[in-house]
Amino acid sequence: MSKKIGLFYGTQTGKTESVAEIIRDEFGNNVVTLHDISQAEIADFDEYQYLIIGCPTWNIGELQSDWEGIYSELDDVDFNGKVVAYFGTGDQIGYADNFQDAIGILEEKISQCGGKTVGYWSTEGYDFNDSKALRNGKFVGLALDEDNQSDLTDDRIKTWVSQLKSEFGL
Ligand SMILES: Cc1cc2nc3c(=O)[nH]c(=O)nc-3n(C[C@H](O)[C@H](O)[C@H](O)COP(=O)(O)O)c2cc1C
């Protein structure tokens, strides 16, 4: 696996960061480089053809604050030719009407800027009312719920990373 993948995540209380590390380790072979979006610059996206974007949903349907801060600058990034996967952490019980909204918001923007989305994920096994992260009945990326279903996280990551290896063509 010689291709490089940049994983850009934001986190408020550390859950999305922990998940990012598990995803990196699951890929193995040092293919994934982590970037905390609070430390990253927009030019860092240019380094990669393959991207993984991680964002928790905060404040009832909002982006995590560091992603919020960089959101308008995403318009200046040329995502054409880039293959992009998304994962989020959220709380399907506490925020059932806005579960995982953040990855839906980011995917909409990045695909408008040319990114090709991969890594769609079934809604089977979740219980929520609504989400901006839905596309044709699927989540736009891996939906994790550390608040209510942390016991499922490792298996979900294993399955999704295996799917991504194939979709990235690694
Ligand atoms: C005030 C507050 C608002 C939240 N809003 C949402 C929400 O709208 N949708 C959702 O799915 N999760 C929501 N969550 C849950 C967080 O997204 C979840 O705990 C997440 O794993 C936090 O990730 P982090 O530790 O990386 O910041 C909210 C949590 C809090 C405390």
Side-chain angles (χ1 to χ4, degrees):
M1 287 199 294
S2 57
K3 293 172 180 170
K4 286 195 313 171
I5 302 168
L7 189 162
F8 293 77
Y9 69 90
T11 191
Q12 216 65 25
T13 61
K15 290 172 190 160
T16 309
E17 179 170 47
S18 301
V19 164
E21 288 166 355
I22 300 171
I23 291 171
R24 175 197 60 197
D25 294 348
E26 186 62 30
F27 269 95
N29 292 331
N30 296 320
V31 283
V32 174
T33 303
L34 297 188
H35 295 267
D36 183 337
I37 197 69
S38 71
Q39 322 273 319
E41 292 178 12
I42 223 71
D44 294 334
F45 291 112
D46 296 340
E47 301 293 314
Y48 305 96
Q49 187 187 355
Y50 300 89
L51 294 167
I52 301 175
I53 302 291
C55 186
T57 304
W58 275 93
N59 302 323
I60 313 182
E62 304 282 331
L63 297 178
Q64 184 271 340
S65 61
D66 300 304
W67 274 115
E68 190 72 59
I70 209 167
Y71 179 76
S72 60
E73 291 177 55
L74 293 174
D75 285 322
D76 301 329
V77 180
D78 183 6
F79 286 98
N80 283 294
K82 296 192 191 297
V83 185
V84 190
Y86 300 82
F87 73 94
T89 64
D91 173 353
Q92 66 198 284
I93 293 178
Y95 302 92
D97 292 331
N98 299 87
F99 183 50
Q100 299 285 347
D101 279 0
I103 53 171
I105 295 167
L106 287 174
E107 192 270 347
E108 185 177 20
K109 166 72 84 188
I110 290 171
S111 58
Q112 278 166 4
C113 296
K116 176 179 185 268
T117 303
V118 296
Y120 292 94
W121 186 252
S122 169
T123 58
E124 209 172 301
Y126 301 86
D127 189 8
F128 63 100
N129 296 331
D130 203 4
S131 173
K132 287 198 178 79
L134 295 177
R135 304 283 185 274
N136 299 319
K138 283 191 155 195
F139 287 118
V140 78
L142 178 64
L144 297 170
D145 185 339
E146 294 300 274
D147 296 273
N148 308 292
Q149 296 182 331
S150 60
D151 51 322
L152 301 179
T153 293
D154 282 352
D155 279 352
R156 284 172 170 166
I157 289 174
K158 274 189 178 36
T159 304
W160 188 65
V161 167
S162 154
Q163 177 185 330
L164 280 192
K165 282 179 179 174
S166 157
E167 292 180 343
F168 279 161
L170 297 174

